[in-house]
Amino acid sequence: MDQYKTVLHAQNIRKSYGTRGNVQEVLKGIDLRVLEGEFVGIMGASGAGKTTLLNVLATIDRTTEGSILIGESDISKMKDRELSAFRRDKLGFIFQDYNLLDTLTVKENILLPVSLGKMKKRVAEDQFKSIADILGIKELADKYPHEISGGQKQRTSAARALINKPSMVFADEPTGALDSKSASSLLGTLEDVNKERGVTIMMVTHDPVASSYCSRVVFLKDGNIYSELYRGEKTRQAFFQEILKVQGVLGGDSVDAL
């Protein structure tokens, strides 16, 4: 994997909440490197720090300590205005609750990030057609969020995340509100986008089925990285079984079960 470029490099990531005398340390010195074209799943029991880690890596929250490089940019040193522009231009986001604007059409929601940037209209239109086609939502372009299904809303959210050709896409429980058929369809599409377009994706999930679509799964325990699994040439079913074993240990009383 060394031939691939590092997209994200996080060192000694610590995150605490509270004030002196009542401090809760959620992340306890995490080191993590993500390479170009990886599809990384983040798993762990409730309270392990999954969403907190995603938020600090995705510039939504700030670390208490540590450095985060995305490409050549040290986001841990950026001012708020710089971070806002970086987030808009370089990153994509897929959230569990879609975060679509009800007053905009599917197409307008997807194009929202580029309407705030410098992408030319014709380029944006070409990007929309390409991504909407990949995600199977081209025919929904003129519909509003209340007129489409949950699965279609999440595909719209995914298209919006991809429209800017981001360095990375961050997904927080993207299948959490979907039925199993819609979830499988979305995950299969994300896997295809990852492989065919080389999009680097980091996804927080509690679902081992969702994680089995990833190329690597990082397990957190009590604010630290507990272990990692690489899919390699394994089938998705074989990788799923490996994920289940580690998840079973993390959910149990003893780590000696492995």
Side-chain angles (χ1 to χ4, degrees), residues 150-178:
Q152 291 167 334
K153 287 178 185 177
Q154 197 57 294
R155 285 173 173 271
T156 301
S157 178
R160 182 185 57 194
L162 295 165
I163 193 75
N164 253 347
K165 295 186 176 179
S167 300
M168 281 192 73
V169 170
F170 293 93
D172 189 4
E173 298 281 7
T175 61
L178 303 180

Side-chain angles (χ1 to χ4, degrees), residues 98-156:
Y98 320 128
N99 280 15
L100 301 177
L101 296 179
D102 293 334
T103 56
L104 300 182
T105 65
V106 164
K107 183 176 181 179
E108 289 167 343
N109 267 288
I110 292 169
L111 290 173
L112 189 59
V114 298
S115 70
L116 302 172
K118 299 176 182 177
M119 187 181 290
K120 292 181 179 178
K121 190 172 181 179
R122 193 173 71 181
V123 175
E125 189 69 28
D126 288 344
Q127 272 290 94
F128 166 77
K129 288 177 181 176
S130 173
I131 290 168
D133 192 42
I134 290 169
L135 289 165
I137 53 174
K138 192 185 289 186
E139 73 283 359
L140 304 176
D142 296 324
K143 291 187 178 293
Y144 288 87
H146 72 271
E147 298 177 306
I148 62 178
S149 70
Q152 291 167 334
K153 287 178 185 177
Q154 197 57 294
R155 285 173 173 271
T156 301

Side-chain angles (χ1 to χ4, degrees), residues 57 231 247:
L57 296 179
R231 181 172 170 182
Q247 189 181 42

